[in-house]
Amino acid sequence: MTTQDKTMKRIEEAMVLQHAGDLDGARQRFAEIWEGIAVDGDPFHRCVLAHYMADLQPDPQDELAWDLRALDAAASVTDDRAEQHDSCLAVRGFYPSLHLNLAADFRRLGDTKQARTHLGRAREHLDALNDDACGHGIRSAIRRLAGQLADEDATAPMGDETK
């Protein structure tokens, strides 16, 4: 992270709260930051913040809305901008996680067709993941979700149009 990126520093501070278990504090901090960047702020900031804010939502519809915001913002992030934060980042590497989150959201909301669509999109970008703990975790989560969807398919009544 560049030391001049005060917004990213604030986002990272909120992430520390989230990881420490202060979910209300993190949610409040993210909301405050979002007020300043939501409309026309840096897409990188919007993508990262929305991605983490989604995980703090108790309501699945709200989680979906934040995950959609993250995906929308990612479409405007350039590799150059991502590399300003970390020289190893490429925007394409965001997509497996973003689509995995959307697939999980849609599954929780009972829309398995959309869940499968986003799971497929996550898989399309697997080659962009690094061979590290983060990459392995995302690959593992994709396999778990695929298994859950397959299990649901096996137990679904015949003629269920949502499957």
Side-chain angles (χ1 to χ4, degrees), residues 54-122:
D55 294 338
L56 295 170
Q57 302 308 306
D59 181 285
Q61 283 292 141
D62 292 338
E63 185 173 3
L64 173 63
W66 281 104
D67 280 329
L68 288 169
R69 287 180 187 113
L71 181 65
D72 182 60
S76 297
V77 177
T78 65
D79 283 335
D80 286 343
R81 174 58 186 100
E83 289 169 3
Q84 287 174 15
H85 177 70
D86 183 327
S87 62
C88 297
L89 283 182
V91 177
R92 193 168 190 280
F94 295 6
Y95 287 98
S97 180
L98 294 173
H99 283 291
L100 170 63
N101 289 351
L102 285 165
D105 295 343
F106 281 115
R107 179 183 168 262
R108 274 190 295 282
L109 292 167
D111 188 341
T112 56
K113 182 177 179 182
Q114 282 293 327
R116 280 188 206 81
T117 296
H118 284 283
L119 188 62
R121 290 182 181 152

